[in-house]
Amino acid sequence: MYILSIDTTGPVGSAAVMNTDTGEIRMEFTLAPMEHLKNLMVLTQKLLKEQSLAPRDLAAVAASAGPGSFTGIRIGVSSARAVAQALNVPCVSVPTLEMFRLIADGEHPLAVIFNARRGQVYGAVYGAEGSTVMEPGPYMLTDVLDVIRERDLKDVIFYGDGIDAYGDQLWAYEWAPKEQRYQNAALAARFAAQKLAEGGTCTWEELLPLYMRRTEAEQRLEDGSLARARAAKMAKFRNM
């Protein structure tokens, strides 16, 4: 059987097909950053055609549910839901930070940080064997660094696009090479295969985004800044 997986939570989207019997994975990337919507379904169709897969061959459709880019999450989850509904197969929801546990090599702890702007990250820290040191969640980067120092994780390796945003604060730590640093559909497929073996599927209706925090618009609506900005704009128009 096969798993079709989709990841669009980072700057570059990807789709993959995994043979759950052999562990073999075939993956395709979007051609340029932020081309998720334009090319994602083209990639999935190409993969299914290359593998000569029929709907009956798919055990599940998996999606990186987040956190990450809000727009990317919506595109990936919506696409996975649509494919699963059309093919009448179950879904697997993959928590994007947690799937990095599979990279643990038994020797080096790892920290995963996704850029959430303004010194904030979606982050997690895992031990050398993949155990959870810091639960996945929204943090300040300083929170993650404090945990690493408190636990004396000298050999920690950093992953995620937070490196690109906050590299000047991470100079004392080792960074994963770029070809291994970011989330992708192959890693999501491996995590999904474990969940599938444990019966961790859901229906396409139950596959939902995992944002971990409210959108900027929701935050501005709650603190009143959105209303103030709208009022200021209307006042400007009235005075023209």
Side-chain angles (χ1 to χ4, degrees):
M1 297 296 288
Y2 292 81
I3 294 173
L4 171 65
S5 68
I6 293 170
D7 180 272
T8 54
T9 61
V12 177
S14 56
V17 168
M18 178 180 184
N19 184 323
T20 58
D21 295 324
T22 65
E24 181 182 359
I25 301 175
R26 177 82 173 87
M27 179 167 61
E28 293 282 348
F29 290 92
T30 56
L31 298 177
M34 305 316 294
E35 285 195 347
H36 307 335
L37 184 60
K38 179 181 178 182
N39 292 322
L40 182 61
M41 296 314 296
V42 175
L43 296 184
T44 59
Q45 291 169 2
K46 178 182 178 182
L47 285 167
L48 293 175
K49 185 176 181 179
E50 285 179 350
Q51 301 292 321
S52 301
L53 297 180
R56 64 178 179 276
D57 298 318
L58 287 180
V61 177
S64 295
S69 159
F70 282 21
T71 301
I73 291 170
R74 286 193 291 269
I75 291 171
V77 170
S78 296
S79 299
R81 284 164 58 103
V83 173
Q85 183 182 17
L87 301 182
N88 193 31
V89 295
C91 292
V92 179
S93 177
V94 177
T96 312
L97 288 168
E98 192 174 348
M99 69 187 187
F100 277 83
R101 287 194 297 104
L102 299 180
I103 296 176
D105 61 4
E107 296 182 7
H108 300 91
L110 58 132
V112 190
I113 52 171
F114 299 159
N115 181 18
R117 305 182 187 280
R118 301 176 184 175
Q120 301 174 80
V121 297
Y122 303 111
V125 180
Y126 300 107
E129 303 295 337
S131 58
T132 301
V133 176
M134 186 179 195
E135 291 285 347
Y139 301 103
M140 298 300 294
L141 176 60
T142 52
D143 297 330
V144 179
L145 297 179
D146 285 345
V147 168
I148 290 171
R149 283 191 289 266
E150 290 167 4
R151 298 296 185 94
D152 198 25
L153 303 178
K154 292 186 176 67
D155 298 328
V156 67
I157 300 176
F158 273 80
Y159 291 81
D161 65 6
I163 297 172
D164 305 329
Y166 304 117
D168 59 338
Q169 300 178 57
L170 302 172
W171 59 268
Y173 300 99
E174 183 177 350
W175 304 352
K178 284 194 172 182
E179 62 271 17
Q180 301 172 16
R181 184 178 302 174
Y182 309 109
Q183 59 266 50
N184 60 60
L187 192 58
R190 289 173 55 199
F191 193 94
Q194 290 189 356
K195 289 192 69 175
L196 182 65
E198 298 165 358
T201 62
C202 62
T203 67
W204 66 267
E205 297 153 305
E206 295 169 329
L207 180 63
L208 299 172
L210 178 61
Y211 295 124
M212 280 199 174
R213 70 173 189 179
R214 292 165 298 172
T215 65
E216 182 177 352
E218 290 172 326
Q219 294 179 50
R220 293 180 65 195
L221 183 63
E222 181 174 316
D223 65 22
S225 60
L226 188 62
R228 291 193 294 271
R230 184 181 295 118
K233 183 179 291 187
M234 294 304 297
K236 180 180 179 180
F237 285 135
R238 286 194 294 268
N239 293 331
M240 290 179 63

